[in-house]
C-alpha cells in the first residue's frame, strides 16, 4: 500500500465533518529524514485506518494545497479534526 494518497475532490466533504480526524505528514521527496519516516507513518496508517485519515503530502508536488504555509523542518505532522488544526 502506498502511503501517498493524492487529495481527492471527495476529501472536501470529509474536511467539513467535525468528527473526522486527520494525520497529515508534510514532507519533501528530497528529504532523507522524510524517506526514513515514511515506513513508520505507513505502519500507523495500516494500524489506525478506521479511526484516522492519514495523508502523505509532498510540499512540492502538492504545493497548491498548502497556500502560504511555510515549513521550517521536515517532516512536519499536522493533526486536525474537521477543519481545525
Amino acid at each position: 500500500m502506498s502511503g501517498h494518497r493524492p487529495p481527492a475532490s471527495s476529501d472536501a466533504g470529509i474536511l467539513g465533518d467535525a468528527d473526522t480526524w486527520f494525520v497529515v505528514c508534510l514532507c519533501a521527496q528530497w528529504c532523507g529524514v522524510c524517506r526514513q519516516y515514511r515506513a513508520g507513518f505507513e505502519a500507523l496508517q495500516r494500524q489506525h485506518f478506521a479511526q484516522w485519515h492519514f495523508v502523505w503530502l509532498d510540499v512540492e508536488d502538492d504545493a497548491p494545497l498548502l497556500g502560504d504555509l511555510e515549513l521550517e523542518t521536515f517532516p512536519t505532522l499536522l493533526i486536525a479534526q474537521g477543519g481545525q488544526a
Side-chain angles (χ1 to χ4, degrees):
M1 166 196 327
S2 168
H4 186 282
R5 181 182 61 83
S9 59
S10 62
D11 287 345
I14 293 172
L15 289 173
D17 181 354
D19 294 329
T20 302
W21 283 89
F22 286 86
V23 178
V24 182
C25 186
L26 302 165
C27 61
Q29 180 57 36
W30 51 261
C31 173
V33 174
C34 293
R35 288 191 304 268
Q36 292 174 354
Y37 189 84
R38 191 167 190 165
F41 186 82
E42 289 177 352
L44 285 172
Q45 179 182 28
R46 288 187 298 274
Q47 189 175 9
H48 299 288
F49 71 92
Q51 301 92 354
W52 296 75
H53 292 275
F54 287 79
V55 180
W56 186 267
L57 197 77
D58 188 295
V59 298
E60 292 177 347
D61 293 344
D62 302 312
L65 296 173
L66 299 175
D68 294 334
L69 181 65
E70 292 187 30
L71 302 174
E72 295 183 21
T73 59
F74 293 99
T76 296
L77 283 181
L78 168 67
I79 299 176
Q81 183 180 26
Q84 293 290 326

